[in-house]
Amino acid sequence: MLDLAIIGAGPAGISAAYEAKKAGLDYLVIEKGLIGNTIYGYPVGLTVFSTTNELEFNKGELKPAREKPTREELLSYYVRFVLDNELNVQTEELVTGVEKSGEHFVITSDKGKYETRSVLFAIGSMDYPRKLNVPGEDLPKVHDHFRETYPWVKKRALIVGGGNSAGEAALFLAEEGADTTLAIFRGDWENNDPKQGCIKYWVKQPLEEELKKHCLKLFFLGKVLEIKDDSVELEDEDGQSCTLPNDVVFVLIGADADLTPIAHHVGGEAAEEGQLQRYE
Ligand SMILES: Cc1cc2nc3c(=O)[nH]c(=O)nc-3n(C[C@H](O)[C@H](O)[C@H](O)COP(=O)(O)OP(=O)(O)OC[C@H]3O[C@@H](n4cnc5c(N)ncnc54)[C@H](O)[C@@H]3O)c2cc1C
């Protein structure tokens, strides 16, 4: 019987494990992917926007070469933190259900079952990338994740989205020689309020430079109509249809958490009793 089962080994799950260990609890972290799986999924070479004090568990531990760490430096820090502190993390194990059984919980994963007195859902909110729900979205050239630029050099790339992930992908692609179009709602492009998840200014400024150099095109979007093998049908903000010749599409319009283990197996009762915490 565990004192605490932590689902997810992102920054929240790792810091919970560290505190649980310090408190002498019998705990286990179950992670469906790798340590820091969401960070592992960032674009290769990305410089994150947070400063070290916002990312490190103990002051002065994270020492990037420049002011802010890259994906690789951050990932390396989190992995070393887990290893050096001998945190009890099991990777590549998917939690499929959590059921209440009397005073405790039974956790079911694709590798086994665990009994625990309490559960911490530190599952983030990246499980289900949002879809456009248009014809052709299932074509192999359509991606819901941007990983790296080099396969797309000299290709006609369309990025659909209005947040930082879309902005960063457009910047990587435009800078590295893809024929890049960012399809974005005008309101998102003109939004400069960081609280509303706008494109950060240090991404937007270089994007504007790429526009001036004609390495990037903006398309003020009404809606995406259809994705075809070698083109995309779009409607602009004035309702005019337009066909863009195209080789690859990145749909970067956000993601949602997978709440099925919480919703289906625990329900509201345990949450009301305060035995279940949800961290996003
Ligand atoms: C490109 C990009 C850049 C970003 N840059 C920054 C930044 O500079 N600063 C910043 O503060 N934030 C940034 N973010 C957001 C940041 O990544 C998240 O806020 C952070 O990862 C949240 O931490 P977390 O531990 O709550 O969740 P996550 O890091 O998402 O961790 C949740 C973990 O739970 C696991 N999991 C989920 N479901 C299950 C299950 N059923 N069974 C087992 N394991 C499961 C997942 O695999 C994952 O590893 C960025 C995000 C992206 C996409």
Side-chain angles (χ1 to χ4, degrees):
M1 173 71 73
L2 297 163
D3 294 319
L4 174 63
I6 299 165
I7 308 174
I14 297 171
S15 67
Y18 182 56
E19 294 303 325
K21 182 167 186 178
K22 281 202 288 189
L25 297 181
D26 192 2
Y27 72 94
L28 169 65
V29 183
I30 307 171
E31 164 57 54
K32 70 175 175 180
L34 304 172
I35 295 166
N37 210 45
T38 295
I39 292 136
Y40 180 68
Y42 290 0
V44 172
L46 178 85
T47 298
V48 303
F49 56 81
S50 295
T51 45
T52 52
N53 61 315
E54 295 169 318
L55 298 164
E56 62 198 2
F57 299 119
N58 294 309
K59 197 164 184 279
E61 282 181 343
L62 178 55
K63 297 187 180 75
R66 302 209 175 111
E67 186 204 351
K68 294 179 179 185
T70 59
R71 161 194 181 265
E72 287 69 23
E73 288 171 322
L74 187 58
L75 207 48
S76 163
Y77 168 66
Y78 288 145
V79 168
R80 277 260 54 99
F81 188 88
V82 168
L83 298 180
D84 292 349
N85 289 288
E86 298 180 340
L87 299 181
N88 195 15
V89 179
Q90 289 176 191
T91 52
E92 298 183 289
E93 180 168 355
L94 174 72
V95 172
T96 51
V98 179
E99 274 175 72
K100 188 126 187 277
S101 168
E103 290 304 299
H104 66 277
F105 296 94
V106 177
I107 295 194
T108 309
S109 79
D110 57 0
K111 295 198 177 146
K113 277 189 188 291
Y114 307 87
E115 294 190 320
T116 179
R117 290 192 181 85
S118 49
V119 186
L120 177 66
F121 288 87
I123 56 174
S125 56
M126 299 298 290
D127 288 294
Y128 291 123
R130 290 184 196 142
K131 300 274 173 207
L132 293 167
N133 296 316
V134 297
E137 200 168 3
D138 52 352
L139 287 171
K141 70 169 190 175
V142 183
H143 304 264
D144 54 26
H145 220 93
F146 175 74
R147 189 64 182 204
E148 61 163 333
T149 317
Y150 297 103
W152 318 115
V153 172
K154 293 185 80 174
K155 300 267 168 44
R156 296 162 302 183
L158 176 71
I159 302 99
V160 183
N164 222 38
S165 292
E168 273 164 344
L171 186 57
F172 269 106
L173 287 161
E175 282 180 337
E176 301 293 347
D179 178 356
T180 309
T181 303
L182 173 61
I184 184 168
F185 296 130
R186 185 184 285 277
D188 286 336
W189 179 253
E190 290 173 357
N191 168 25
N192 292 320
D193 180 358
K195 289 195 187 118
Q196 288 176 32
C198 69
I199 300 178
K200 307 269 187 251
Y201 74 89
W202 57 86
V203 178
K204 183 132 180 230
Q205 280 177 351
L207 279 174
E208 284 166 341
E209 291 302 312
E210 294 302 315
L211 280 172
K212 279 187 211 148
K213 288 192 274 172
H214 305 290
C215 295
L216 171 69
K217 284 166 260 173
L218 275 192
F219 183 94
F220 285 125
L221 190 62
K223 60 183 171 198
V224 179
L225 300 172
E226 184 173 357
I227 302 171
K228 297 180 176 168
D229 280 327
D230 56 6
S231 67
V232 182
E233 304 285 328
L234 301 166
E235 198 175 276
D236 72 12
E237 58 180 349
D238 300 319
Q240 298 286 320
S241 315
C242 164
T243 304
L244 284 189
N246 170 266
D247 300 307
V248 61
V249 179
F250 296 95
V251 179
L252 304 174
I253 54 175
D256 296 300
D258 177 7
L259 299 178
T260 40
I262 306 177
H264 290 173
H265 300 283
V266 180
E269 191 194 328
E272 272 165 30
E273 287 170 18
Q275 288 168 291
L276 184 127
Q277 301 245 348
R278 182 177 142 202
Y279 276 38
E280 271 196 90

